[in-house]
Protein backbone atom coordinates (compact mmCIF):
# COMPACT_ATOMS: atom_id res chain seq x y z
CA UNK A 1 0.00 0.00 0.00
CA UNK A 2 1.21 3.49 -0.73
CA UNK A 3 1.88 6.04 2.00
CA UNK A 4 -1.29 8.19 2.47
CA UNK A 5 0.91 11.23 2.91
CA UNK A 6 2.31 10.63 -0.55
CA UNK A 7 -1.05 10.07 -2.16
CA UNK A 8 -1.92 13.72 -1.79
CA UNK A 9 1.53 15.04 -2.58
CA UNK A 10 1.40 17.44 -5.51
CA UNK A 11 3.16 16.24 -8.65
CA UNK A 12 4.81 18.70 -10.95
CA UNK A 13 2.53 19.43 -13.87
CA UNK A 14 5.23 21.27 -15.77
CA UNK A 15 4.20 23.53 -18.61
CA UNK A 16 0.82 21.80 -18.79
CA UNK A 17 -0.52 23.63 -15.73
CA UNK A 18 -2.53 25.95 -17.93
CA UNK A 19 -3.76 23.28 -20.33
CA UNK A 20 -7.40 23.54 -21.32
CA UNK A 21 -9.01 20.12 -20.91
CA UNK A 22 -11.81 20.91 -23.36
CA UNK A 23 -12.06 18.17 -25.96
CA UNK A 24 -10.22 15.49 -23.96
CA UNK A 25 -13.48 13.57 -23.69
CA UNK A 26 -13.71 13.33 -27.50
CA UNK A 27 -10.45 11.42 -27.65
CA UNK A 28 -9.44 7.99 -26.41
CA UNK A 29 -5.92 9.16 -25.57
CA UNK A 30 -4.68 12.70 -25.19
CA UNK A 31 -1.09 13.32 -24.15
CA UNK A 32 0.18 16.83 -23.60
CA UNK A 33 3.80 17.72 -22.87
CA UNK A 34 4.61 14.37 -21.27
CA UNK A 35 7.98 14.20 -19.54
CA UNK A 36 9.57 11.18 -17.91
CA UNK A 37 13.05 10.68 -16.48
CA UNK A 38 14.85 7.80 -14.84
CA UNK A 39 17.37 9.45 -12.58
CA UNK A 40 19.36 11.85 -14.74
CA UNK A 41 18.24 10.19 -17.96
CA UNK A 42 15.38 12.11 -19.58
CA UNK A 43 13.49 9.53 -21.62
CA UNK A 44 10.41 11.51 -22.68
CA UNK A 45 10.96 15.17 -23.51
CA UNK A 46 7.50 16.60 -24.10
CA UNK A 47 5.25 14.15 -25.96
CA UNK A 48 2.04 15.51 -27.54
CA UNK A 49 -0.22 12.90 -29.14
CA UNK A 50 -3.92 12.26 -29.70
CA UNK A 51 -5.65 8.96 -30.44
CA UNK A 52 -9.29 8.96 -31.50
CA UNK A 53 -11.77 6.17 -30.68
CA UNK A 54 -11.37 3.31 -33.13
CA UNK A 55 -7.95 4.52 -34.31
CA UNK A 56 -4.92 2.27 -34.68
CA UNK A 57 -1.77 4.27 -33.94
CA UNK A 58 1.53 2.57 -34.69
CA UNK A 59 4.69 3.88 -33.03
CA UNK A 60 8.08 3.14 -34.53
CA UNK A 61 11.62 4.25 -33.78
CA UNK A 62 15.04 3.02 -32.69
CA UNK A 63 15.68 1.29 -29.38
CA UNK A 64 15.89 3.76 -26.52
CA UNK A 65 13.67 6.34 -28.23
CA UNK A 66 11.05 6.25 -25.45
CA UNK A 67 8.35 4.28 -27.26
CA UNK A 68 7.75 1.63 -24.59
CA UNK A 69 8.09 4.14 -21.77
CA UNK A 70 5.37 6.29 -23.31
CA UNK A 71 3.12 3.25 -23.67
CA UNK A 72 3.63 2.38 -20.00
CA UNK A 73 2.77 5.94 -19.01
CA UNK A 74 -0.63 5.61 -20.69
CA UNK A 75 -1.77 3.09 -18.08
CA UNK A 76 0.36 4.56 -15.26
CA UNK A 77 2.79 1.65 -15.06
CA UNK A 78 5.27 4.51 -15.21
CA UNK A 79 4.46 7.79 -13.44
CA UNK A 80 4.92 10.89 -15.52
CA UNK A 81 7.12 13.71 -14.24
CA UNK A 82 5.40 16.46 -16.16
CA UNK A 83 2.46 17.09 -18.44
CA UNK A 84 -1.00 15.57 -18.49
CA UNK A 85 -2.41 12.39 -19.95
CA UNK A 86 -6.06 11.46 -20.42
CA UNK A 87 -7.72 8.19 -21.42
CA UNK A 88 -11.40 8.41 -22.39
CA UNK A 89 -11.56 11.91 -20.93
CA UNK A 90 -10.16 10.98 -17.52
CA UNK A 91 -6.76 12.02 -16.20
CA UNK A 92 -4.56 8.95 -15.83
CA UNK A 93 -3.13 8.42 -12.34
CA UNK A 94 -3.98 11.87 -11.03
CA UNK A 95 -6.73 14.28 -10.10
CA UNK A 96 -6.51 17.98 -10.69
CA UNK A 97 -7.15 20.71 -8.14
CA UNK A 98 -6.32 24.38 -8.52
CA UNK A 99 -4.09 23.68 -11.49
CA UNK A 100 -2.01 21.01 -9.73
CA UNK A 101 -1.99 17.25 -10.13
CA UNK A 102 -2.38 14.93 -7.13
CA UNK A 103 -1.67 11.24 -7.37
CA UNK A 104 -4.61 8.88 -7.08
CA UNK A 105 -4.72 6.07 -4.54
CA UNK A 106 -3.68 2.60 -5.63
CA UNK A 107 -7.24 1.31 -5.85
CA UNK A 108 -8.27 4.26 -8.02
CA UNK A 109 -5.36 3.65 -10.39
CA UNK A 110 -6.28 -0.04 -10.54
CA UNK A 111 -9.84 0.88 -11.48
CA UNK A 112 -8.52 2.97 -14.36
CA UNK A 113 -6.30 0.16 -15.58
CA UNK A 114 -9.25 -2.19 -15.92
CA UNK A 115 -10.30 -0.29 -19.03
CA UNK A 116 -6.83 -0.44 -20.61
CA UNK A 117 -5.58 -3.77 -21.92
CA UNK A 118 -1.85 -4.26 -22.39
CA UNK A 119 0.11 -6.93 -24.24
CA UNK A 120 3.84 -7.11 -23.54
CA UNK A 121 6.82 -8.50 -25.45
CA UNK A 122 6.86 -11.46 -23.08
CA UNK A 123 3.62 -13.30 -22.54
CA UNK A 124 3.60 -13.33 -18.71
CA UNK A 125 1.09 -16.17 -18.51
CA UNK A 126 0.66 -18.08 -15.26
CA UNK A 127 2.48 -21.37 -15.97
CA UNK A 128 0.40 -23.38 -13.49
CA UNK A 129 -2.90 -22.37 -15.10
CA UNK A 130 -4.53 -23.60 -18.30
CA UNK A 131 -5.12 -21.11 -21.08
CA UNK A 132 -8.77 -20.83 -20.08
CA UNK A 133 -7.86 -20.22 -16.45
CA UNK A 134 -5.33 -17.56 -17.48
CA UNK A 135 -8.01 -15.70 -19.40
CA UNK A 136 -10.62 -15.99 -16.65
CA UNK A 137 -8.37 -14.97 -13.75
CA UNK A 138 -8.57 -11.16 -13.92
CA UNK A 139 -12.32 -10.76 -14.58
CA UNK A 140 -13.11 -13.15 -11.72
CA UNK A 141 -10.52 -11.88 -9.22
CA UNK A 142 -10.42 -8.18 -10.08
CA UNK A 143 -13.91 -7.41 -11.40
CA UNK A 144 -15.66 -10.07 -9.27
CA UNK A 145 -17.66 -11.28 -12.24
CA UNK A 146 -19.53 -14.62 -12.02
CA UNK A 147 -17.35 -17.52 -13.16
CA UNK A 148 -19.97 -18.92 -15.53
CA UNK A 149 -20.28 -15.58 -17.30
CA UNK A 150 -16.53 -15.14 -17.55
CA UNK A 151 -16.03 -18.70 -18.77
CA UNK A 152 -18.48 -18.15 -21.61
CA UNK A 153 -16.69 -14.96 -22.65
CA UNK A 154 -13.28 -16.63 -22.34
CA UNK A 155 -14.32 -19.50 -24.60
CA UNK A 156 -15.49 -17.02 -27.23
CA UNK A 157 -12.19 -15.19 -26.98
CA UNK A 158 -10.24 -18.43 -27.38
CA UNK A 159 -12.17 -19.04 -30.58
CA UNK A 160 -11.61 -15.44 -31.66
CA UNK A 161 -7.82 -15.83 -31.44
CA UNK A 162 -7.91 -19.22 -33.15
CA UNK A 163 -7.19 -21.38 -30.12
CA UNK A 164 -10.52 -23.02 -29.36
CA UNK A 165 -8.76 -26.40 -29.28
CA UNK A 166 -6.22 -25.26 -26.64
CA UNK A 167 -8.60 -24.49 -23.78
CA UNK A 168 -7.09 -27.08 -21.45
CA UNK A 169 -3.46 -26.61 -22.52
CA UNK A 170 -0.82 -25.10 -20.27
CA UNK A 171 1.51 -22.33 -21.50
CA UNK A 172 4.48 -24.70 -21.71
CA UNK A 173 2.53 -26.79 -24.22
CA UNK A 174 2.04 -23.82 -26.57
CA UNK A 175 4.28 -22.13 -29.11
CA UNK A 176 5.33 -18.55 -28.54
CA UNK A 177 2.77 -17.32 -31.05
CA UNK A 178 0.02 -19.28 -29.35
CA UNK A 179 1.03 -17.93 -25.95
CA UNK A 180 0.93 -14.37 -27.26
CA UNK A 181 -2.54 -14.96 -28.68
CA UNK A 182 -3.64 -16.20 -25.26
CA UNK A 183 -2.15 -13.04 -23.76
CA UNK A 184 -4.23 -10.95 -26.17
CA UNK A 185 -7.36 -12.90 -25.24
CA UNK A 186 -6.54 -12.39 -21.55
CA UNK A 187 -6.33 -8.63 -22.04
CA UNK A 188 -9.59 -8.61 -24.01
CA UNK A 189 -11.36 -10.55 -21.25
CA UNK A 190 -11.41 -7.38 -19.16
CA UNK A 191 -13.41 -5.71 -21.97
CA UNK A 192 -11.05 -2.74 -22.28
CA UNK A 193 -11.75 0.47 -24.17
CA UNK A 194 -8.14 0.69 -25.27
CA UNK A 195 -5.48 -1.88 -26.14
CA UNK A 196 -1.76 -1.20 -25.83
CA UNK A 197 0.77 -3.46 -27.57
CA UNK A 198 4.45 -3.22 -26.63
CA UNK A 199 6.34 -4.88 -29.49
CA UNK A 200 4.12 -7.98 -29.21
CA UNK A 201 5.99 -9.95 -31.89
CA UNK A 202 9.60 -9.09 -31.01
CA UNK A 203 10.11 -12.21 -28.87
CA UNK A 204 8.66 -14.58 -31.48
CA UNK A 205 10.34 -16.74 -34.07
CA UNK A 206 9.79 -15.17 -37.52
CA UNK A 207 7.41 -17.89 -38.68
CA UNK A 208 5.10 -17.23 -35.71
CA UNK A 209 4.79 -13.48 -36.17
CA UNK A 210 2.02 -13.66 -38.77
CA UNK A 211 -0.48 -15.48 -36.57
CA UNK A 212 -0.26 -12.77 -33.89
CA UNK A 213 -0.47 -9.92 -36.40
CA UNK A 214 -3.55 -11.54 -37.93
CA UNK A 215 -5.35 -11.42 -34.58
CA UNK A 216 -4.37 -7.77 -34.21
CA UNK A 217 -5.63 -6.98 -37.71
CA UNK A 218 -8.99 -8.50 -36.83
CA UNK A 219 -9.16 -6.40 -33.66
CA UNK A 220 -8.58 -3.31 -35.79
CA UNK A 221 -11.36 -4.34 -38.16
CA UNK A 222 -13.64 -4.80 -35.16
CA UNK A 223 -13.03 -1.16 -34.18
CA UNK A 224 -10.74 -1.60 -31.18
CA UNK A 225 -8.69 1.49 -30.33
CA UNK A 226 -5.05 0.43 -30.34
CA UNK A 227 -1.62 1.96 -29.73
CA UNK A 228 1.01 -0.40 -31.09
CA UNK A 229 4.75 -0.07 -30.55
CA UNK A 230 6.14 -2.23 -33.32
CA UNK A 231 8.99 -3.02 -35.69
CA UNK A 232 6.54 -4.58 -38.15
CA UNK A 233 6.51 -1.89 -40.84
CA UNK A 234 4.18 -3.90 -43.08
CA UNK A 235 1.59 -4.09 -40.30
CA UNK A 236 1.87 -0.35 -39.70
CA UNK A 237 1.38 0.36 -43.40
CA UNK A 238 -1.56 -2.01 -43.82
CA UNK A 239 -3.45 -1.65 -40.54
CA UNK A 240 -2.42 1.65 -38.96
CA UNK A 241 -4.50 4.80 -39.23
CA UNK A 242 -1.58 6.91 -38.04
CA UNK A 243 2.15 6.38 -37.77
CA UNK A 244 4.40 8.04 -35.20
CA UNK A 245 8.18 8.06 -35.46
CA UNK A 246 9.92 8.71 -32.14
CA UNK A 247 13.58 9.34 -31.51
CA UNK A 248 15.43 10.76 -28.53
CA UNK A 249 12.30 11.07 -26.42
CA UNK A 250 10.35 13.24 -28.85
CA UNK A 251 7.85 12.76 -31.68
CA UNK A 252 9.90 13.48 -34.80
CA UNK A 253 7.18 12.86 -37.38
CA UNK A 254 3.54 11.79 -37.50
CA UNK A 255 1.04 11.18 -40.28
CA UNK A 256 -0.81 8.58 -42.35
CA UNK A 257 1.39 5.47 -42.48
CA UNK A 258 1.61 5.18 -46.25
CA UNK A 259 2.57 8.85 -46.58
CA UNK A 260 5.21 8.78 -43.85
CA UNK A 261 6.72 5.53 -45.11
CA UNK A 262 6.72 6.56 -48.77
CA UNK A 263 7.78 10.16 -48.30
CA UNK A 264 9.24 10.90 -44.86
CA UNK A 265 9.84 14.61 -44.33
CA UNK A 266 12.33 14.68 -41.47
CA UNK A 267 15.96 13.66 -42.13
CA UNK A 268 16.01 11.46 -39.02
CA UNK A 269 12.89 9.59 -40.22
CA UNK A 270 14.45 9.22 -43.66
CA UNK A 271 17.63 7.77 -42.17
CA UNK A 272 15.76 5.32 -39.92
CA UNK A 273 13.44 4.08 -42.67
CA UNK A 274 16.32 3.66 -45.10
CA UNK A 275 17.70 1.02 -42.74
CA UNK A 276 14.49 -0.89 -42.00
CA UNK A 277 12.60 -0.86 -45.32
Amino acid sequence: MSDPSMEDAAVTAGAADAVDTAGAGDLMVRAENIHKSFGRLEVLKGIDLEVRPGEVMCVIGPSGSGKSTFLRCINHLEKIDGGRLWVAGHLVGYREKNGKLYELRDREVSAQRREIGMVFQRFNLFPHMTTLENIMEAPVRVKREPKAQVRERALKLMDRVGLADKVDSYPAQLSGGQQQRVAIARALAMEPKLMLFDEPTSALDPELVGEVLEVMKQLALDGMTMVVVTHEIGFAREVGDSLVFMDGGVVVEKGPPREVLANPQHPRTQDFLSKVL
Side-chain angles (χ1 to χ4, degrees):
M1 296 296 290
S2 60
D3 182 351
S5 66
M6 295 298 292
E7 291 169 349
D8 290 327
V11 181
T12 301
D17 272 345
V19 168
D20 178 8
T21 60
D26 300 329
L27 300 166
M28 184 59 72
V29 179
R30 180 180 177 185
E32 296 208 351
N33 199 33
I34 300 301
H35 288 259
K36 175 64 183 179
S37 297
F38 295 101
R40 295 182 178 180
L41 178 63
E42 189 178 13
V43 178
L44 301 179
K45 304 175 182 178
I47 301 294
D48 295 297
L49 283 175
E50 295 181 349
V51 183
R52 300 195 175 278
E55 179 179 346
V56 177
M57 175 181 283
C58 294
V59 185
I60 63 172
S63 298
S65 59
K67 308 182 303 294
S68 294
T69 297
F70 174 66
L71 206 67
R72 292 170 66 86
C73 288
I74 293 177
N75 66 358
H76 205 59
L77 286 176
E78 298 290 352
K79 299 177 183 180
I80 62 175
D81 297 319
R84 285 189 173 89
L85 205 160
W86 295 264
V87 170
H90 300 287
L91 276 171
V92 175
Y94 303 94
R95 60 182 174 84
E96 183 179 6
K97 185 176 182 180
N98 297 326
K100 291 185 178 181
L101 300 182
Y102 297 85
E103 193 170 352
L104 297 178
R105 292 173 171 81
D106 288 349
R107 64 176 180 274
E108 295 171 309
V109 173
S110 296
Q112 288 186 333
R113 286 202 188 113
R114 293 174 193 174
E115 299 190 339
I116 306 173
M118 188 160 185
V119 178
F120 300 88
Q121 296 178 35
R122 297 293 176 179
F123 326 121
N124 298 325
L125 300 176
F126 295 115
H128 62 288
M129 293 183 178
T130 65
T131 55
L132 185 65
E133 290 169 341
N134 265 282
I135 295 170
M136 291 178 60
E137 179 72 3
V140 171
R141 292 289 186 112
V142 178
K143 295 178 73 174
R144 306 292 185 185
E145 292 186 60
K147 281 189 176 181
Q149 175 181 313
V150 174
R151 178 182 172 82
E152 181 179 355
R153 183 161 76 244
L155 289 172
K156 290 179 180 178
L157 287 170
M158 287 290 288
D159 184 58
R160 186 176 180 182
V161 300
L163 293 173
D165 60 334
K166 301 294 184 180
V167 168
D168 296 319
S169 299
Y170 289 87
Q173 298 172 311
L174 304 177
S175 70
Q178 290 171 331
Q179 290 186 60
Q180 191 63 294
R181 283 186 278 159
V182 173
I184 293 172
R186 180 181 58 183
L188 292 172
M190 292 291 282
E191 300 182 310
K193 295 179 179 178
L194 170 69
M195 285 286 288
L196 308 176
F197 293 86
D198 187 8
E199 300 186 15
T201 60
S202 65
L204 301 178
D205 292 334
E207 66 269 22
L208 301 177
V209 168
E211 62 190 53
V212 174
L213 294 181
E214 192 59 41
V215 171
M216 295 170 63
K217 289 177 187 177
Q218 190 57 54
L219 283 180
L221 290 173
D222 292 343
M224 174 61 72
T225 309
M226 300 159 61
V227 181
V228 184
V229 171
T230 184
H231 293 296
E232 302 294 337
I233 302 297
F235 174 86
R237 180 189 291 111
E238 179 183 350
V239 182
D241 297 302
S242 59
L243 181 66
V244 173
F245 173 65
M246 287 181 63
D247 188 34
V250 300
V251 173
V252 176
E253 191 164 344
K254 178 181 181 296
R258 293 179 185 273
E259 292 183 17
V260 173
L261 294 172
N263 188 29
Q265 299 300 301
H266 195 281
R268 183 65 188 96
T269 315
Q270 295 168 6
D271 179 63
F272 175 79
L273 292 175
S274 72
K275 296 173 181 175
V276 300
L277 290 179

